[in-house]
Amino acid sequence: MTASYTRRELMVVAAGREIHDHEVVFVGMRLPLLGFGLAKATHAPDAVGLFENGVIRDRPAEAFIYTMGDPPNIAGAITCLGLLDVMSLLQAGRVNVGFIGGAEIDPLGNLNTTRTSSGGTLVRLPGSGGGGDIASLAGRTVLIMEHEPRRFRERVDYVTSPGHFPGRRRGGPATLITTLGVFDLSPSGVRVRTLHPGVSPKQVREATGFALELPETVPATPAPTADELAYIRTADPEGFWTGDSMKSG
Amino acid sequence: MHEIIRQGRKELTLIGPISDMAFDQLIGAGTVARVVAAWIGNVAGGSGYGFRRAFEQGIPRPIVVEDHSNFTVGLALKAAAMGVPFLPTFTGLGGDIVRNHPRIKPIDDPFGGPAPLAVGALRPDVAIVHVQRADKEGNAHLWGNLGLTVEAAYAARRTIVVCEEIVSEDVIRSDPNRTVIPGLLTTAVVEEPGGALPSSVQGYWRRDFEPFLAYHRLSRTREGFEAWLREWVLELAGRPAYLRKMGDAAVERLRVREQRLAAPANFAP
């Protein structure tokens, strides 16, 4: 496999493929934002995106954006509501799929973005944002993570965004996309769906701080198509989000 | 925000959903005792180092955080805006934010449905909102990004409207649906063009991303933060001085000159 695309471009493509046509999507920033635009441009032209600042739009932003509040994400929107309006749509069950990232994850798909002592000293992280709401209320969630042992823990220190738990009303984590592969999540744990090209089962086991269900044969994550790559490189021309040097923040 | 630092205010409580580096700057400058928010960081890089130093090491002073999600901050403000003690929600169930939370409590549904959580009302003393235009009575037109701006204005005891331009009341009355904050809520109107920079204002200013990156780099150390604070806050008299320091070329590069006007709405009776 020649390095004709970056790992983050592959993650964007995997994120985009989690969106089905006609779905209502609670879009996050960074890779999911590109994944949403990619899905719209390819297999899901009638998907609609909600942003927690209140924006609902069914076209990708008109130019590169750093945050969902940037002017190109407002111009051409269907509507600009308030935060409570889009959260109400989420709570009322009108959102099919939401994307969230986390600093730490456990086998039930609980995400921690609040605080951790895993490195020996207390580290304060930024907090939930809308992540806890999406995790609680979306029809299903897709999680996006850096795949490192210190982030994949038997139990997270703090559950910012709840995963699977008894008595959950709706939804829960369905898919996890990492820098190493794509995984199915359920109340019984994490199962490897695909590994990115060049990643071995041993490597993913070593990078995961809990037991994974690893089928005997695991297919490779399908490579981006030329059309998918063309879209990503138009939407992120400098590789700000998808270059290999991107920060994990 | 920077004027709050210059005036040497102390012991403030900050309230917001996803805050940005303005919170980090206020915290780093030692003005803040408590934060009620869903996210405290820097959109450029995640971590807000001023916030982290205060929370992890008590530098320059310890702070207390009341953690929320975006939805629960919004509901707390909305409850105050509506004059009710709490609003029910299903967000957060099964997670740690709502566990032993001072403002979020489990309740029964009096109609026999699944048990929700109650989010208690949160009434700020002051809301500071930035809008595109307002008249001198404080009737404010805002479009584009709304977030929790309207809820904050309705919930607060006093609301300060900062605008790009003060316009005649005819402009406001030409499009009453866009008056999202009626003047009866407004305590003061401030005309401060560019007052939201480096953040964007739809139709007026683009986002200036470089200052977010520069602040992220500098604020990594306390010394770096102090240097930033002197250069960009303490040694400047106010926003006009800030814009002069940016330089005309930089300011003009960010100013939106193109027009994409909404179709007129006919309000003829």
Side-chain angles (χ1 to χ4, degrees), chain A residues 29-61:
Chain A
M29 283 309 298
R30 302 168 182 254
L31 304 187
L33 179 76
L34 293 171
F36 172 69
L38 178 71
K40 293 282 310 176
T42 55
H43 62 276
D46 291 321
V48 176
L50 270 58
F51 295 81
E52 59 203 346
N53 58 345
V55 171
I56 300 181
R57 61 183 302 131
D58 61 353
R59 299 174 191 161

Side-chain angles (χ1 to χ4, degrees), chain B:
Chain B
M1 288 289 178
H2 292 173
E3 183 59 23
I4 292 171
I5 297 174
R6 280 190 288 268
Q7 289 186 13
R9 301 289 168 137
K10 300 285 179 210
E11 301 293 316
L12 299 182
T13 296
L14 302 181
I15 301 168
I18 292 189
S19 70
D20 205 347
M21 62 178 187
F23 271 33
D24 197 72
Q25 293 164 0
L26 287 163
I27 294 166
T31 61
V32 178
R34 203 161 143 260
V35 182
V36 180
W39 196 92
I40 308 145
N42 180 330
V43 290
S47 268
Y49 294 110
F51 167 58
R52 283 189 54 186
R53 267 191 299 278
F55 187 89
E56 295 167 9
Q57 305 167 51
I59 298 171
R61 54 153 299 157
I63 57 163
V64 175
V65 179
E66 181 181 312
D67 271 297
H68 279 265
S69 67
N70 279 344
F71 199 4
T72 62
V73 175
L75 289 168
L77 291 170
K78 183 75 178 179
M82 294 173 72
V84 295
F86 64 86
L87 285 170
T89 184
F90 290 113
T91 199
L93 289 166
D96 283 338
I97 293 176
V98 302
R99 207 179 298 282
N100 304 315
H101 195 285
R103 201 183 302 277
I104 305 175
K105 309 278 185 198
I107 53 169
D108 288 328
D109 174 2
F111 302 99
L117 297 165
V119 181
L122 176 59
R123 180 174 289 285
D125 292 313
V126 183
I128 303 171
V129 301
H130 194 99
V131 305
Q132 281 96 345
R133 62 192 182 206
D135 66 20
K136 59 184 176 21
E137 303 301 325
N139 298 300
H141 273 189
L142 170 61
W143 61 93
N145 236 334
L146 298 183
L148 288 176
T149 306
V150 179
E151 287 76 11
Y154 274 73
R157 292 188 175 84
R158 282 164 288 161
T159 294
I160 300 171
V161 170
V162 183
C163 62
E164 289 295 325
E165 47 185 334
I166 290 181
V167 296
S168 76
E169 65 165 56
D170 293 347
V171 172
I172 299 298
R173 287 168 199 256
S174 74
D175 192 1
N177 285 100
R178 216 180 300 276
T179 313
V180 297
I181 301 170
L184 62 95
L185 297 175
T186 304
T187 312
V189 188
V190 181
E191 190 179 45
E192 190 72 87
L197 286 172
S199 292
S200 58
V201 177
Q202 198 73 26
Y204 287 79
W205 299 102
R206 297 182 186 85
R207 172 178 292 276
D208 189 9
F209 199 62
E210 181 50 38
F212 289 86
L213 293 171
Y215 177 77
H216 194 246
R217 264 191 319 269
L218 275 171
S219 62
R220 199 177 289 263
T221 65
R222 188 179 182 189
E223 296 68 32
F225 173 82
E226 299 289 347
W228 175 88
L229 188 68
R230 277 193 304 278
E231 182 177 359
W232 286 98
V233 180
L234 300 179
E235 291 173 1
L236 299 178
R239 194 40 55 153
Y242 180 99
L243 298 179
R244 277 196 301 278
K245 181 170 168 59
M246 282 176 65
D248 285 348
V251 170
E252 292 313 310
R253 188 171 45 77
L254 297 170
R255 196 188 297 278
V256 174
R257 297 217 171 269
E258 305 75 19
Q259 288 210 325
R260 198 193 296 187
L261 301 177
N266 188 2
F267 279 91

Side-chain angles (χ1 to χ4, degrees), chain A:
Chain A
M1 176 65 57
T2 54
S4 55
Y5 54 88
T6 70
R7 200 161 276 193
R8 286 179 204 289
E9 287 175 329
L10 185 61
M11 291 171 75
V12 168
V13 169
R17 288 174 184 163
E18 293 297 310
I19 297 171
H20 308 309
D21 201 11
H22 300 283
E23 282 197 316
V24 178
V25 184
F26 214 104
V27 186
M29 283 309 298
R30 302 168 182 254
L31 304 187
L33 179 76
L34 293 171
F36 172 69
L38 178 71
K40 293 282 310 176
T42 55
H43 62 276
D46 291 321
V48 176
L50 270 58
F51 295 81
E52 59 203 346
N53 58 345
V55 171
I56 300 181
R57 61 183 302 131
D58 61 353
R59 299 174 191 161
E62 298 186 358
F64 180 81
I65 57 172
Y66 294 103
T67 82
M68 62 182 72
D70 288 3
N73 204 42
I74 306 288
I78 295 172
T79 180
C80 295
L81 303 168
L83 182 149
L84 287 178
D85 300 304
V86 291
M87 287 296 175
S88 298
L89 291 171
L90 185 64
Q91 183 164 252
R94 290 177 179 268
V95 175
N96 301 111
V97 57
F99 288 84
I100 359 177
E104 293 184 344
I105 187 170
D106 71 18
L108 293 173
N110 291 309
L111 292 180
N112 178 13
T113 55
T114 301
R115 57 179 145 81
T116 178
S117 300
S118 64
T121 53
L122 172 69
V123 173
R124 172 68 211 209
L125 306 163
S128 161
D133 304 314
I134 297 166
S136 296
L137 302 170
R140 65 179 193 280
T141 49
V142 177
L143 317 182
I144 300 193
M145 294 272 306
E146 297 282 312
H147 208 131
E148 300 167 1
R150 67 186 175 100
R151 297 178 182 275
F152 280 65
R153 305 186 58 199
E154 200 54 63
R155 253 188 105 158
V156 292
D157 284 359
Y158 186 100
V159 178
T160 313
S161 298
H164 291 285
F165 61 92
R168 180 181 249 287
R169 289 177 71 237
R170 175 198 299 155
T175 304
L176 166 67
I177 299 166
T178 77
T179 39
L180 297 183
V182 180
F183 306 80
D184 293 306
L185 274 70
S186 72
S188 54
V190 178
R191 183 175 196 272
V192 183
R193 190 195 298 171
T194 62
L195 292 175
H196 298 336
V199 175
S200 70
K202 179 167 179 288
Q203 193 181 345
V204 74
R205 240 193 256 282
E206 285 174 0
T208 308
F210 52 78
L212 284 168
E213 192 185 334
L214 194 63
E216 208 147 291
T217 54
V218 179
T221 308
T225 65
D227 284 351
E228 288 169 333
L229 280 180
Y231 171 80
I232 293 172
R233 287 165 191 180
T234 308
D236 185 22
E238 316 269 318
F240 184 82
W241 303 116
T242 53
D244 262 342
S245 62
M246 193 196 95
K247 288 173 53 67
S248 62

